[in-house]
Amino acid sequence: MGKKKTLSFTFITMIIGLMLAIQFRSVQTPEVRDTRDTWQLREDLNEEMELKARLIKEIRANEQKLAEYETERKQGQELALKNTLNELKEEAGLTDVTGPGVTIQISKLDDELLLDHLDYTLSPDLLRRLLNELNMYGAKNVSIGGQRVINTTVIREIAGETKINGRSLKNFPLEIRVITETFEDAQELYNRMVVSKAAEEFFIDNLKVNVLEPEMSVTVPAYEDSIRIRNIESVKADKGES
Amino acid sequence: MWLPVLGLVVGILLGFMSNFSIPDEYSNYLSIAVLAALDTLFGGIRAHLQNIYDEKVFVSGFFFNIILAASLAFLGVHLGVDLYLAAVFAFGVRLFQNIAVIRRILIAKNSTK
């Protein structure tokens, strides 16, 4: 037998041996004989059952935790949204606001002071001027005669009556409530309003402006109607972005 | 003469010592490859005894048969036909024939001595 022949035979027998061994190992999964008797089997079964119960308990606890986290997360989002919504509502004037502020009363002049006839008309120009002054001196939220003044509030005269938000202002004394940022602001506003020129103008219309001392807690009511926004549309959210 | 046997032993030892095993679904392929290899080996021994041994035929036949058998089995699995049985049959028959020829040659050699 040539040397080369022997080598190739050796090579191939080696490969065959390798394959045989691997095949043997793969096919012959060692058979483990079960020699446990009934009681041992029972015990083992019990153990496994306990393990199963424990695992199920664990799974349940984890699922519960997961659910808790989920709700927490959702509520967190909800809370943030609600907070934002409330903030926006507050800013828009849809909520009652309480804070340090000043109350201004506009009342009729005493009858003795009146020269001739009774004519109590609160002119919208005057009211607007007063409002501007209030805003200038740091008013944050204002209500006039129980009507909240918001960005879209209109003060105008309709058929001889001064109206704010579409409601007549003819019940005197008229109360203007002003809320400021801090109590100091309220005091400053009070001081300015006491010497205000606008207040004096009311006298011409037979009205008296009485600025009350600043208080720690003045409540301004919410805007009663829904705010109508024309010519503005909400942007449609893209799908998948929620 | 003893070198091939030594190779077989070394291969088996190597296979058992290495922690290598084949997944169940592929054991079919390996078994048929083993069969093809054995067939080739006995064919080689017979050719050697008949003095018609060709190195190239032997080595190429070894690998070619293995690959052919494995691919036949693969095709069978994918066609849903147990095609590997054909390979088993063919290799089995040839194995028996080869071994028979080898036996006869050995007997003839022994009786002439």
Side-chain angles (χ1 to χ4, degrees), chain A residues 5 8 13-14 23 25-26, chain B residues 4 19 22 31 48 53 55:
Chain A
K5 208 196 272 182
S8 58
T13 48
M14 214 167 91
Q23 178 72 358
R25 279 175 52 95
S26 305
Chain B
N19 219 351
I22 282 210
S31 65
H48 165 66
Y53 176 81
E55 177 91 24

Side-chain angles (χ1 to χ4, degrees), chain A residues 52-212:
Chain A
K52 190 182 163 193
R54 215 164 51 224
L55 285 176
I56 285 176
K57 220 182 275 175
E58 231 166 78
I59 288 172
R60 209 168 282 166
N62 281 334
E63 265 174 5
Q64 206 177 336
K65 220 177 271 173
L66 198 70
E68 265 171 33
Y69 284 145
E70 195 75 16
T71 46
E72 223 168 80
R73 203 167 58 93
K74 251 186 217 163
Q75 275 174 352
Q77 280 178 354
E78 229 176 85
L79 211 69
L81 271 176
K82 268 186 189 159
N83 280 343
T84 316
L85 190 66
N86 282 342
E87 270 170 33
L88 286 174
K89 270 188 177 171
E90 212 179 301
E91 212 170 302
L94 291 173
T95 55
D96 289 358
V97 182
T98 305
V102 177
T103 306
I104 301 169
Q105 279 179 337
I106 301 173
S107 50
K108 300 172 194 171
L109 269 182
D110 295 337
D111 287 347
E112 304 94 68
L113 286 172
L114 287 174
L115 299 176
D116 39 356
H117 63 293
L118 299 171
D119 185 14
Y120 315 109
T121 40
L122 178 59
S123 98
D125 289 328
L126 212 53
L127 201 56
R128 243 172 291 170
R129 189 172 158 190
L130 184 72
L131 207 57
N132 282 341
E133 249 176 52
L134 287 173
N135 283 332
M136 215 156 64
Y137 300 147
K140 240 177 69 189
N141 303 296
V142 182
S143 75
I144 299 174
Q147 292 297 316
R148 178 71 171 270
V149 177
I150 60 166
N151 282 341
T152 55
T153 292
V154 189
I155 301 169
R156 60 188 162 191
E157 194 182 310
I158 300 170
E161 270 179 20
T162 303
K163 297 198 177 197
I164 179 165
N165 293 340
R167 285 168 181 78
S168 300
L169 295 172
K170 53 181 181 181
N171 292 332
F172 294 101
L174 197 68
E175 213 166 58
I176 300 178
R177 291 182 185 177
V178 185
I179 288 182
T180 54
E181 196 82 47
T182 59
F183 190 66
E184 284 77 41
D185 286 347
Q187 273 174 328
E188 202 185 319
L189 184 83
Y190 167 74
N191 291 334
R192 282 179 184 275
M193 285 321 292
V194 165
V195 298
S196 161
K197 200 119 188 275
E200 284 172 21
E201 305 279 347
F202 280 86
F203 194 76
I204 297 168
D205 286 340
N206 300 328
L207 294 168
K208 193 172 70 181
V209 172
N210 186 18
V211 184
L212 302 183

Side-chain angles (χ1 to χ4, degrees), chain B residues 28 32 72-73 75-89:
Chain B
N28 256 352
I32 211 156
L72 211 62
L75 196 69
V77 168
H78 280 260
L79 287 181
V81 183
D82 288 341
L83 261 183
Y84 78 97
L85 285 178
V88 169
F89 181 70

